[in-house]
Amino acid sequence: MSVVIIRQDGKIEEWKLALQAAAPEVDFYSYLQDHPKDRIEAAMVWKHPQGIFKEYSSLRYIASFGAGVDFLLQDPEIPSDIKITRVVDPVLASDMSEYVIAALFSFLKNLTRYRSDKFKGIWNPAPYLRISDLTVGIMGLGALGSCLAKDLYRIGFKVVGWSRSEKNIDFMECFSGDKQRAEFLSKTNALVCLLPLTPETAHILNKELFRQLPRGAYIINVARGGHLVDEDLIDMMDRGHLAGACLDVYHQEPLPEMHPFWRHPKILMTPHVASVSDVQAVVPQLLENYYRFKKGEALINEVSTLRGY
Ligand code: NDP
Ligand code: OXD
């Protein structure tokens, strides 16, 4: 069997070398090189060029190089019988926790504000918050959200969580479904979005939701840009209802130069780097699925195309 690697971020060679070294008997091709397209049965992919899968008539499964699969499920040209897998990895989860913890401390201690004051030569001490002042609300208690909840609890944060199905986690209060969302939000001072992007969760971070948070709440969106209504965030920060936001993901990436987020003083921004799949950590599970596929066994970390994640 031959595998094609498709990604447009200049990282194909790094992944190809690691995969080839770990499985010398398999033929791995970059989609940019000449390759026998009719023999390709598996594709390992991160944000593909639209329409590319039509070229692979023998394709049987697609592995996302990341945790998210929204870019695959949004592609109407992928036949419904193609299996799709994603990354579930403890390194990815702990990297995400570390990022969110950094963002929370930056909020508690006004670091975004002091950084911008520094460039203006302003000396302006402001009151700060403590861990005990915050309840962190996590939307999405899956592989990443549940790891974050544990890490925050260990540090001493109060944590609440919201998911689609009911959860029972001993150290935190859990809410589920649309009916319990308002109660979850009313208890949350720092909201972390770790939901998959699906038709149900698109634009979920909007004015109506922000109004249900206590005044002065902080938003951390590390899931997908499509969860957020950008103008609503700006409006609610400018009115003083929200204290600020840390954003890692955007509707369009890279974020267009003229987008108001770039210059907004209450927004801390990073370029989709909260948690990046680590080659050494992830190669074994990509190969595990390759061997399972060869043996006709069920794949691990397969997503439900019906559920959308
Ligand atoms: P999981 O699929 O493991 O978890 C998803 C969670 O969201 C589950 O708890 C699920 O509920 C919940 N959920 C899904 N739909 C709804 C809904 N309609 N209402 C309420 N809750 C819902 O995903 P991961 O934790 O692995 O990843 C989450 C997302 O993080 C990824 O999809 C990706 O977009 C993003 N990500 C971002 C990165 C970055 O660098 N910025 C890096 C890696 C991932 P239930 O438990 O009931 O199924
Ligand atoms: C992912 C991501 O989904 O990096 O893994 O966003």
Side-chain angles (χ1 to χ4, degrees), residues 146-177:
S146 62
C147 172
L148 173 64
K150 264 188 227 127
D151 289 343
L152 290 175
Y153 173 72
R154 261 209 323 262
I155 297 172
F157 283 99
K158 288 188 283 309
V159 193
V160 293
W162 182 71
S163 55
R164 205 168 72 123
S165 60
E166 221 175 285
K167 305 253 183 286
N168 224 319
I169 305 177
D170 55 6
F171 60 84
M172 65 188 280
E173 206 174 348
C174 293
F175 300 87
S176 59

Side-chain angles (χ1 to χ4, degrees), residues 192-240:
V192 182
C193 181
L194 270 171
L195 293 166
L197 185 61
T198 66
E200 287 76 42
T201 65
H203 304 123
I204 193 167
L205 301 177
N206 60 31
K207 217 175 259 186
E208 188 207 330
L209 177 144
F210 294 146
R211 277 199 201 102
Q212 295 172 47
L213 292 165
R215 195 173 172 80
Y218 191 73
I219 307 298
I220 300 178
N221 187 18
V222 275
R224 285 292 181 263
H227 288 120
L228 179 64
V229 180
D230 296 359
E231 341 36 294
D232 288 3
L233 175 68
I234 291 180
D235 185 48
M236 294 302 264
M237 287 187 310
D238 291 350
R239 287 168 189 263

Side-chain angles (χ1 to χ4, degrees), residues 69-76 78 84 303-305 307-309:
V69 289
D70 43 295
F71 65 101
L72 292 169
L73 297 182
Q74 281 163 6
D75 182 340
I78 298 178
I84 295 179
V303 303
S304 154
T305 47
R307 213 175 47 162
Y309 65 100

